[in-house]
Amino acid sequence: MRYCILSLEALYGTALVLAVLIMQRGPRLSLLRGGLRSLLYATGRSMKQNAYYVMLWGVAFTWLHIQNSFTGRHIEADCQNMAAVKACNILITGANRGLGLETVKQLTEDSCPKRHIFATCRDPDGPRSEALRELAKKHPSVITIIRLDANDPCSIKESAKEVGSLLGNNGLNLLVNNAGIVANGTIQTSSAEDMKNTFNTNVIGPLLIIKEYLPYLQTAAKASGTPGMSSNKAAVINISTLGGSMSTMPSLYKQFPVLPYCVSKAGFNMLTVLSAEELKADEILCMALHPGWVKTEMGGEKAPLEPKESVEGMLRVIGSLTEEQHGGFLDYTGKPIPW
């Protein structure tokens, strides 16, 4: 009879732990799973000796979840806050649609009190920027729309002057090079015009943007007063693609015959690597980030990822970056991608 009670208590404790595991998400889930495996192993090894401990662990985990539920501090939220983007002054190119617009949306939803977002696009007054204008109306103290055409050097220079006058002495903490264009084609079908346009927008544009905004990034890095690198201090995040990976793209080429785009993004990746080398002395973090295959105007309807999921992942990655990822290439889950 005693052993029967012990077994029931062990099952009860295990059930409580399982219930907590179901309710938890995020990075700590793997830790809880590991703890559960250890507990089950111990229980199976010596039911009589360990049953009460299993029960106590189950009760403790359940109590913790209930406490966090009442205080509004779930483990998932806690983990997300740990990797949150806390940068104050942020500039995002190509912010009027797709991933750029979704990034602006999500950055306005958090509780960073001093945040200001410079949302740039080619034609702020045009019909394709209507969603961005509506968003800016809802958050007038947070979002400033700036005209910036990555294919126009004069536009880039003028935008930097305008943003600089608004930044004052605070500097720019985070520059997200998101604007880009895609062109389909193979060696036999790609035109010189396609190659020029994609290279101008996807490589030369970001190069000039980094160059023009570098003084503001340097100001932010110096003003932080903290050693090391992070996206909250001063960082350049280049939104790249798996298509720019020379190790990976050959096996995908038949499915995605976008030679001009891939060649330009490979150049963009090299720009990231060499920029990281130059920016190292100023402790300005620089890396490339692959958002996944996303259901946007560029990615198409067949893409498996929604913009919301992609951007949530990218912001978690951006918020957790340190000097260890400087000059690196990661995807939206934080997984390294070969160059």
Side-chain angles (χ1 to χ4, degrees), residues 17 63 78 96 104 133 149 156-157 229 302 315 330-331 337:
V17 176
W63 175 83
D78 182 48
N96 62 316
V104 176
R133 291 196 298 271
D149 183 352
I156 295 170
K157 191 178 286 288
M229 297 181 182
K302 293 182 180 179
L315 290 179
L330 306 176
D331 74 4
I337 296 178

Side-chain angles (χ1 to χ4, degrees), residues 265-323:
K265 285 297 187 178
F268 187 39
N269 285 349
M270 180 58 81
L271 173 64
T272 302
V273 172
L274 298 183
S275 296
E277 192 63 27
E278 283 197 36
L279 300 178
K280 188 191 302 181
D282 292 315
E283 293 190 337
I284 299 171
L285 192 149
C286 182
M287 56 85 66
L289 191 56
H290 168 54
W293 184 15
V294 189
K295 197 175 291 183
T296 61
E297 186 178 325
M298 186 180 288
E301 287 299 316
K302 293 182 180 179
L305 269 179
E306 293 292 337
K308 185 176 186 294
E309 183 181 355
S310 170
V311 171
E312 284 175 349
M314 287 197 291
L315 290 179
R316 279 195 294 269
V317 172
I318 292 170
S320 65
L321 294 173
T322 68
E323 53 268 23

Side-chain angles (χ1 to χ4, degrees), residues 34-111:
L36 177 63
R37 281 195 293 269
S38 299
L39 288 169
L40 290 176
Y41 175 74
T43 303
R45 225 175 114 194
S46 178
M47 181 69 74
K48 182 177 178 181
Q49 183 179 354
N50 294 288
Y52 282 113
Y53 295 104
V54 174
M55 182 185 68
L56 289 173
W57 271 103
V59 171
F61 274 123
T62 305
W63 175 83
L64 176 63
H65 180 78
I66 292 170
Q67 183 190 50
N68 283 332
S69 296
F70 280 113
T71 58
R73 298 196 309 270
H74 293 281
I75 288 177
E76 178 185 11
D78 182 48
C79 291
Q80 288 177 346
N81 288 337
M82 287 170 63
V85 175
K86 297 175 184 175
C88 290
N89 294 317
I90 303 171
L91 186 138
I92 303 166
T93 67
N96 62 316
R97 60 192 178 101
L99 293 174
L101 181 61
E102 181 62 31
T103 302
V104 176
K105 282 180 182 177
Q106 292 193 25
L107 286 172
T108 58
E109 289 169 359
D110 64 25
S111 57

Side-chain angles (χ1 to χ4, degrees), residues 46-310:
S46 178
M47 181 69 74
K48 182 177 178 181
Q49 183 179 354
N50 294 288
Y52 282 113
Y53 295 104
V54 174
M55 182 185 68
L56 289 173
W57 271 103
V59 171
F61 274 123
T62 305
W63 175 83
L64 176 63
H65 180 78
I66 292 170
Q67 183 190 50
N68 283 332
S69 296
F70 280 113
T71 58
R73 298 196 309 270
H74 293 281
I75 288 177
E76 178 185 11
D78 182 48
C79 291
Q80 288 177 346
N81 288 337
M82 287 170 63
V85 175
K86 297 175 184 175
C88 290
N89 294 317
I90 303 171
L91 186 138
I92 303 166
T93 67
N96 62 316
R97 60 192 178 101
L99 293 174
L101 181 61
E102 181 62 31
T103 302
V104 176
K105 282 180 182 177
Q106 292 193 25
L107 286 172
T108 58
E109 289 169 359
D110 64 25
S111 57
C112 188
K114 297 180 180 179
R115 172 157 296 158
H116 199 92
I117 301 169
F118 299 96
T120 79
C121 58
R122 186 182 305 169
D123 184 12
D125 300 320
R128 301 184 79 181
S129 301
E130 184 178 355
L132 178 60
R133 291 196 298 271
E134 289 300 314
L135 187 62
K137 285 180 184 177
K138 294 178 183 177
H139 306 276
S141 63
V142 178
I143 302 172
T144 299
I145 301 176
I146 303 288
R147 183 183 180 276
L148 189 160
D149 183 352
N151 197 27
D152 180 359
C154 291
S155 166
I156 295 170
K157 191 178 286 288
E158 287 302 313
S159 75
K161 288 180 182 177
E162 185 177 355
V163 171
S165 68
L166 297 170
L167 284 172
N169 298 322
N170 297 319
L172 183 67
N173 302 106
L174 181 59
L175 167 61
V176 181
N177 272 317
N178 168 72
I181 62 171
V182 65
N184 297 323
T186 62
I187 288 177
Q188 296 181 6
T189 62
S190 297
S191 67
E193 196 68 22
D194 289 336
M195 297 300 293
K196 287 177 183 177
N197 288 338
T198 53
F199 200 83
N200 283 340
T201 301
N202 297 347
V203 184
I204 296 176
L207 166 65
L208 295 178
I209 291 167
I210 294 172
K211 180 181 178 180
E212 294 297 333
Y213 283 91
L214 180 56
Y216 310 135
L217 290 162
Q218 290 171 328
T219 298
K222 290 175 183 176
S224 73
T226 58
M229 297 181 182
S230 77
S231 62
N232 304 323
K233 177 179 178 178
V236 176
I237 307 297
N238 289 332
I239 306 301
S240 188
T241 173
L242 205 62
S245 167
M246 287 184 280
S247 302
T248 307
M249 190 56 200
S251 62
L252 302 173
Y253 187 46
K254 286 185 179 179
Q255 186 181 359
F256 302 100
V258 285
L259 184 143
Y261 178 67
C262 292
V263 171
S264 68
K265 285 297 187 178
F268 187 39
N269 285 349
M270 180 58 81
L271 173 64
T272 302
V273 172
L274 298 183
S275 296
E277 192 63 27
E278 283 197 36
L279 300 178
K280 188 191 302 181
D282 292 315
E283 293 190 337
I284 299 171
L285 192 149
C286 182
M287 56 85 66
L289 191 56
H290 168 54
W293 184 15
V294 189
K295 197 175 291 183
T296 61
E297 186 178 325
M298 186 180 288
E301 287 299 316
K302 293 182 180 179
L305 269 179
E306 293 292 337
K308 185 176 186 294
E309 183 181 355
S310 170

